[in-house]
Amino acid sequence: MEPLRVLELYSGIGGMHFALKDCGVAAQVVVAVDINTTANQIYQHNFPCTPLWSKSIEGIPLEDFNKLSIDAILMSPPCQPFTRLGLKRDVVDQRTKSFLYVLDLLPKLSSPPRYILLENVKGFEESCARNQLVKILTECGYHFKEMMVSPTSVRTTHYWQYTHKNSCLNPFLNLDFSCPQTGDGPECAQFLYKLETRAEQQRKQQQNSDQSITQIQDFLDPDVDLNLEQYLLLPKTLLRYAPILDIVHPTSRRSICFTKGYGRYVEGTGSVLQSSTEAETESVFRGLEEHSEEERLRRLQTLQLRYFTPREVANLMGFPQGFAFPDDVPVKQRYKVLGNSLNVVVVSKLLRILLSEEHLGR
């Protein structure tokens, strides 16, 4: 059997491609498409033999798509128009324009793809864009299934859309998503030392007690020559944002989702790691505001709080060890493209469900 011919839209740094390689399907990405030049540089560094179109999707004519003779489309359209923390401008948002163009093209293709996998954030399922997607899929004769999936039961949940032409998906799925992702450190159950509710604290403790989830220490960068001091939080950051930091430890089994603002912004962009194994987090925070600024800083610095390195974030997102950044891509840009990416292991599992058995094991 010939390998599946796959079109990878919004290809980013290649998360879908890595997942496709991991799922055991005989497939070839015939073209990857993305407009982000930094992401394209990283993609080509990892997949130098894959044709990459650095252009807007809506700038590609129908005839060019028809020439590809694709069997499957993998895509992860921009999530900003649908995210819970955004403006939710949906189809009015200019960033949705390319996705609507894809939907318009789908029924016009001379040979529509048999498979489509789409990933987006929670919130997409309530959007007009989703309704338009369902309308087009139904008109084109696709069977489809929608799922909410998270690498663990607690991480920022992603919304997934599978479509399968001329075949039905099994609605009774037994998925094990205890894959490379993680949970929080051993904080005291009776003392709220950060700006969080009791319920939030209990949720984190429950996550951390799940022994089936891998500890964060297994995803840390083993490079002994790496200068980790460059990732330490600055004094002004510690003093201003200490009460809202999501602090995790090497033995933690959870972290919050890493966004493209990680390393530049603090609130809600990702967890920070407590490097010190000697300092007790609770003791540092207890009565912290009663001290002078100098003493507060001294106490906070004993925790040795640092950002996860880009390699570590990639590890937590399931990227294989073979994934690499070109040396000239700055750390800031590495965080940004990772924050726009997806979990490779989860996508690999979903592809196994989506693609028929005739393509597996080859």
Side-chain angles (χ1 to χ4, degrees):
M1 181 180 296
E2 291 295 319
L4 289 174
R5 294 176 60 82
V6 178
L7 170 62
E8 188 180 9
L9 299 177
Y10 312 97
S11 51
I13 57 176
M16 290 281 191
H17 197 151
F18 278 114
L20 189 64
K21 288 171 66 70
D22 181 68
C23 76
V25 174
Q28 174 192 5
V29 177
V30 294
V31 167
V33 184
D34 204 290
I35 198 171
N36 185 303
T37 54
T38 301
N40 287 345
Q41 179 187 0
I42 298 168
Y43 189 103
Q44 288 204 305
H45 183 75
N46 289 276
F47 300 107
C49 296
T50 300
L52 178 59
W53 292 355
S54 182
K55 59 177 71 176
S56 63
I57 293 173
E58 58 269 36
I60 304 173
L62 174 62
E63 51 267 31
D64 285 357
F65 283 111
N66 280 330
K67 291 176 183 177
L68 297 174
S69 301
I70 54 175
D71 301 304
I73 295 178
L74 308 182
M75 58 177 162
S76 180
C79 65
Q80 293 89 343
F82 317 108
T83 183
R84 288 170 288 178
L85 299 179
L87 297 177
K88 292 188 174 182
R89 300 188 71 233
D90 202 342
V91 294
V92 179
D93 196 307
Q94 284 297 304
R95 289 168 290 193
T96 312
K97 184 178 179 182
S98 60
F99 176 59
L100 296 178
Y101 179 72
V102 173
L103 295 185
D104 182 64
L105 283 183
L106 193 58
K108 301 176 183 177
L109 292 173
S110 56
S111 180
R114 185 177 180 188
Y115 306 101
I116 301 173
L117 186 146
L118 181 147
E119 180 269 350
N120 215 282
V121 295
K122 179 175 172 60
F124 180 79
E125 78 280 9
E126 300 174 344
S127 69
C128 294
R130 177 265 177 192
N131 294 339
Q132 181 70 4
L133 169 64
V134 169
K135 178 177 180 293
I136 295 296
L137 294 177
T138 303
E139 292 175 352
C140 290
Y142 284 90
H143 299 278
F144 59 90
K145 187 172 184 65
E146 302 168 274
M147 297 179 67
M148 292 284 189
V149 179
S150 177
T152 69
S153 61
V154 298
R155 285 179 172 270
T156 301
T157 307
H158 286 41
Y159 173 84
W160 298 88
Q161 173 80 38
Y162 316 71
T163 62
H164 195 174
K165 191 171 179 63
N166 302 324
S167 175
C168 292
L169 289 172
N170 181 0
F172 304 102
L173 302 174
N174 181 19
L175 302 180
D176 174 16
F177 287 111
S178 56
C179 56
Q181 297 288 329
T182 51
D184 195 51
E187 268 102 54
C188 175
Q190 306 301 319
F191 178 61
L192 292 176
Y193 56 84
K194 300 201 296 293
L195 295 181
E196 59 186 9
T197 66
R198 183 74 63 184
E200 289 171 336
Q201 186 195 60
Q202 291 173 347
R203 173 177 56 80
K204 291 179 180 181
Q205 291 169 343
Q206 183 178 13
Q207 295 162 12
N208 191 56
S209 65
D210 187 347
Q211 300 297 310
S212 69
I213 301 176
T214 310
Q215 293 181 330
I216 279 179
Q217 60 190 1
D218 293 326
F219 301 97
L220 299 183
D221 197 325
D223 185 357
V224 295
D225 297 324
L226 182 66
N227 178 20
L228 292 176
E229 289 189 5
Q230 64 180 309
Y231 297 102
L232 290 173
L233 272 65
L234 297 174
K236 63 179 181 180
T237 302
L238 289 172
L239 289 171
R240 182 174 180 180
Y241 295 106
I244 62 171
L245 293 173
D246 185 74
I247 301 172
V248 296
H249 305 76
T251 55
S252 297
R253 301 180 187 276
R254 58 152 295 281
S255 73
I256 62 174
C257 183
F258 295 95
T259 74
K260 66 179 183 179
Y262 191 66
R264 291 182 295 145
Y265 305 106
V266 176
E267 187 172 4
T269 61
S271 302
V272 295
L273 180 68
Q274 178 177 322
S275 302
S276 173
T277 57
E278 299 177 358
E280 295 184 359
T281 316
E282 177 187 340
S283 299
V284 168
F285 276 88
R286 186 183 294 276
L288 186 65
E289 292 304 313
E290 300 173 2
H291 298 280
S292 65
E293 181 177 292
E294 181 180 1
E295 176 60 16
R296 291 202 306 274
L297 179 59
R298 187 196 67 78
R299 294 178 63 164
L300 289 168
Q301 286 179 326
T302 64
L303 298 175
Q304 297 178 26
L305 300 177
R306 71 167 177 87
Y307 295 108
F308 286 88
T309 70
R311 176 68 256 182
E312 291 167 345
V313 175
N315 292 344
L316 287 164
M317 296 177 70
F319 280 82
Q321 286 304 304
F323 168 76
F325 292 101
D327 292 338
D328 59 345
V329 176
V331 170
K332 176 181 174 181
Q333 292 299 319
R334 297 184 187 195
Y335 284 137
K336 189 172 183 178
V337 294
L338 283 166
N340 280 329
S341 193
L342 41 74
N343 186 284
V344 173
V345 178
V346 172
V347 177
S348 176
K349 289 178 180 285
L350 296 176
L351 284 170
R352 281 185 166 274
I353 297 167
L354 173 64
L355 301 174
S356 62
E357 290 298 325
E358 60 185 303
H359 297 292
L360 294 174
R362 295 182 180 274

